[in-house]
Amino acid sequence: MGTVHAKSMDPLPMHGRDLGVNPDDLVDTSEVEQEAKQEILENKDVVVQHVNIQGLGRTKEDLLGYEISDVFHARNLIDVMKKAHVARQRLLRLGIFKEVEVLIDTSEGSDALPNGLDVTFEVTEIKRLTGSYNTMVGNNEGSMVLGLKLPNMLGRAEKLTFQFSYGTKDTSYGLSFFKPQPGFFERNLTLNLYKVTGQFPWSSLKETDRGLSAELNFPLGMTSHALKWEGVWRELGCLARSTSFAVREESGHSLKSALSHTMSVDSRNSAIFPSRGALLRLSQELAGYTGGDVSFLKEDVELQVNRRLFWDSVLSASLWAGMLYPLEGKPSCIADRFYLGGPTSIRGFGMYSIGPQSEGDYLGGEAYWAGGLHLYTPLPFRPGKGGFGDLFRTHFFLNAGNLCNLNYGDGPRAHLQRLAECIRWSYGAGIVLRLGNIARLELNYCVPMGVQSGDRICDGVQFGAGIRFL
């Protein structure tokens, strides 16, 4: 919990022959004094009289008052240490301090109480301008990221960030401003201005987005919510001269203005290798209500349940599903539809190579579902147990799903029947590697089944990298 200091209760050493006191009396006095002070620390009742913060420069004190105020409510030394540790974590979470250390001492001064304590936080602020260089892993893609940040820009944990990313499929740059609510860091506002150019070889399509967005994040009970507005000017083009006519018809410019809401409940102990807990995420997007020439309603759901079994093995079940409903009689755009297939969803099939297609270019679908059942076990004979070997898991899986377009005049029963037809599924086994707590790699031997005409398969060994897996 950082460095916690306590003032020594031992008496100061006294030397020399002319002190004018009897050595026996000296021992008795110090012992009584030491016992009294020791009782202060071990007594159930203590009072935190002062909480000080040292090392502040541009940070406003009123922001930090929300984060450390709970320390005043401590009633014994152990409670003081626990609440000081929590306060330290809250200060570090703000992202404005490089170091935070804690000093707990007995109160001094004319107003000091016999059982009074002073708590001091010694902080080191992050520089006004910082730079970063790192690599990121997306869904079967990687990128190099360069960034410049102005942390604590206005003194209340605001952050201005410029970021440039060059990847295997995307190139982007953007400017974002982050503002948390004082005393409630989970409730924050983010403003973004960006340009993204991406290539989608499964559709022979390239897309350039120029847009801005505003996103509000906040918790509500056990759930987390995100409200977002996005306005984006999209330019679609052909990636190759052989691009199909169906994709060429989608080329051109469009203006999308959309409101979206995401609600999630996540009780998993890890986002990459969970061994217990569950995840529920519901997303809705409404485009066209606030302007633009694209109109649709989009629903998406994700469910995952994990349970630990014997011998450190974990059974995991997951379900994805979604539906896109065009509005105002306008057809859906290829950039808004769902895509399915590949090492991060239905393994054994090509990347996003399931469902409607034209001349080998995949067009996406307006409805889909996908389910997975997975068994993760430690490596045989547990090599590297307690160290590097714990980053690996043996993986057995069974995946199934479907992607199609619906005739919305047919009713729900016809929709379910359509989604239940031509189910693609696969099974196999492989090895999974965890990359920190942000991504994972999979190397699987896959056996695709239920292959339909036009599907692209990957029969045998398949490699996948990403942050979100079925």
Side-chain angles (χ1 to χ4, degrees):
M1 56 180 277
T3 303
V4 178
H5 306 278
K7 186 177 180 180
S8 174
M9 295 293 103
D10 295 332
L12 294 175
M14 304 177 71
H15 302 285
R17 292 175 294 179
D18 301 326
L19 295 176
V21 293
N22 189 297
D24 293 335
D25 295 338
L26 179 63
V27 172
D28 292 338
T29 303
S30 63
E31 285 181 356
V32 172
E33 195 173 314
Q34 182 176 358
E35 288 177 1
K37 293 185 177 181
Q38 188 71 18
E39 185 181 0
I40 292 177
L41 292 179
E42 295 182 353
N43 198 342
K44 293 182 179 179
D45 295 325
V46 299
V47 177
V48 177
Q49 290 191 261
H50 307 99
V51 177
N52 306 305
I53 301 180
Q54 298 179 356
L56 294 182
R58 60 187 184 277
T59 305
K60 308 298 182 182
E61 291 187 5
D62 60 319
L63 168 70
L64 307 183
Y66 296 102
E67 311 298 333
I68 65 175
S69 60
D70 201 36
V71 176
F72 283 105
H73 300 152
R75 291 295 175 260
N76 58 65
L77 180 62
I78 300 301
D79 200 21
V80 171
M81 296 177 68
K82 288 181 178 179
K83 291 185 183 299
H85 171 67
V86 172
R88 176 180 179 272
Q89 296 300 109
R90 290 171 63 92
L91 292 174
L92 289 171
R93 182 187 58 175
L94 295 175
I96 61 178
F97 298 123
K98 183 179 180 181
E99 294 179 356
V100 177
E101 299 203 4
V102 184
L103 172 68
I104 300 176
D105 201 351
T106 54
S107 295
E108 297 180 349
S110 58
D111 61 341
L113 299 175
N115 61 341
L117 294 177
D118 290 347
V119 179
T120 301
F121 293 90
E122 298 178 349
V123 302
T124 303
E125 292 183 339
I126 293 178
K127 297 179 180 179
R128 293 181 179 272
L129 178 64
T130 64
S132 63
Y133 166 80
N134 53 25
T135 56
M136 294 183 64
V137 177
N139 286 329
N140 228 35
E141 61 178 305
S143 58
M144 176 191 68
V145 181
L146 301 174
L148 290 175
K149 296 180 182 179
L150 277 72
N152 205 17
M153 184 179 178
L154 303 177
R156 290 186 173 87
E158 304 89 354
K159 180 170 61 177
L160 184 67
T161 304
F162 173 80
Q163 187 167 282
F164 171 78
S165 173
Y166 181 81
T168 54
K169 295 185 179 73
D170 293 337
T171 300
S172 66
Y173 55 86
L175 186 68
S176 68
F177 177 76
F178 173 82
K179 169 66 177 176
Q181 177 181 333
F184 212 134
F185 188 77
E186 295 83 0
R187 186 178 296 161
N188 53 72
L189 176 68
T190 303
L191 306 177
N192 289 293
L193 183 67
Y194 62 88
K195 178 182 178 181
V196 181
T197 301
Q199 298 180 356
F200 309 95
W202 48 85
S203 300
S204 298
L205 179 74
K206 63 180 179 181
E207 178 180 354
T208 300
D209 293 346
R210 304 171 181 88
L212 54 92
S213 66
E215 181 174 348
L216 176 65
N217 295 279
F218 61 94
L220 185 61
M222 297 178 60
T223 63
S224 298
H225 296 259
L227 290 174
K228 182 178 181 180
W229 171 82
E230 183 178 32
V232 54
W233 167 26
R234 304 186 297 191
E235 181 181 359
L236 304 181
C238 301
L239 193 59
R241 299 181 63 180
S242 59
T243 301
S244 65
F245 182 73
V247 175
R248 293 178 183 273
E249 280 188 313
E250 301 270 4
S251 300
H253 298 266
S254 64
L255 182 62
K256 172 185 171 182
S257 177
L259 295 170
S260 63
H261 169 255
T262 300
M263 185 275 291
S264 61
V265 182
D266 192 352
S267 62
R268 299 174 300 172
N269 59 339
S270 171
I272 305 301
F273 272 175
S275 60
R276 66 178 186 274
L279 167 69
L280 173 63
R281 181 179 290 118
L282 301 173
S283 301
Q284 304 86 32
E285 183 179 7
L286 176 62
Y289 184 78
T290 53
D293 54 11
V294 177
S295 297
F296 63 83
L297 176 64
K298 193 174 185 179
E299 300 280 346
D300 203 2
V301 59
E302 178 181 356
L303 176 65
Q304 184 186 101
V305 180
N306 305 278
R307 177 148 189 181
R308 184 188 294 273
L309 303 177
F310 48 86
W311 298 329
D312 289 335
S313 59
V314 176
L315 183 66
S316 177
S318 55
L319 175 67
W320 298 352
M323 183 176 293
L324 186 150
Y325 183 74
L327 301 175
E328 300 180 2
K330 299 178 181 179
S332 61
C333 176
I334 190 173
D336 297 316
R337 298 181 195 131
F338 299 106
Y339 290 83
L340 192 62
T344 61
S345 56
I346 308 296
R347 296 160 179 83
F349 290 82
M351 194 69 181
Y352 301 140
S353 300
I354 289 177
Q357 57 92 25
S358 174
E359 302 176 29
D361 294 334
Y362 293 88
L363 307 177
E366 296 176 350
Y368 86 103
W369 70 271
L373 189 64
H374 306 262
L375 178 64
Y376 300 96
T377 66
L379 293 177
F381 309 111
R382 305 295 295 268
K385 182 179 179 181
F388 185 69
D390 288 342
L391 299 178
F392 293 86
R393 289 289 188 275
T394 305
H395 179 216
F396 303 91
F397 67 88
L398 173 65
N399 297 152
N402 194 12
L403 174 75
C404 62
N405 291 316
L406 301 178
N407 185 351
Y408 289 97
D410 291 342
R413 178 171 294 183
H415 297 168
L416 293 175
Q417 184 176 357
R418 180 92 169 107
L419 286 169
E421 295 174 349
C422 306
I423 295 177
R424 285 83 164 175
W425 62 285
S426 65
Y427 64 91
I431 295 178
V432 183
L433 169 63
R434 174 170 60 89
L435 298 177
N437 289 316
I438 57 173
R440 79 186 202 188
L441 306 179
E442 288 190 5
L443 184 64
N444 296 314
Y445 186 87
C446 309
V447 181
M449 306 293 289
V451 181
Q452 304 298 313
S453 176
D455 292 345
R456 189 176 299 151
I457 65 171
C458 183
D459 190 3
V461 177
Q462 186 179 41
F463 173 78
I467 57 177
R468 182 174 179 255
F469 284 80
L470 177 66

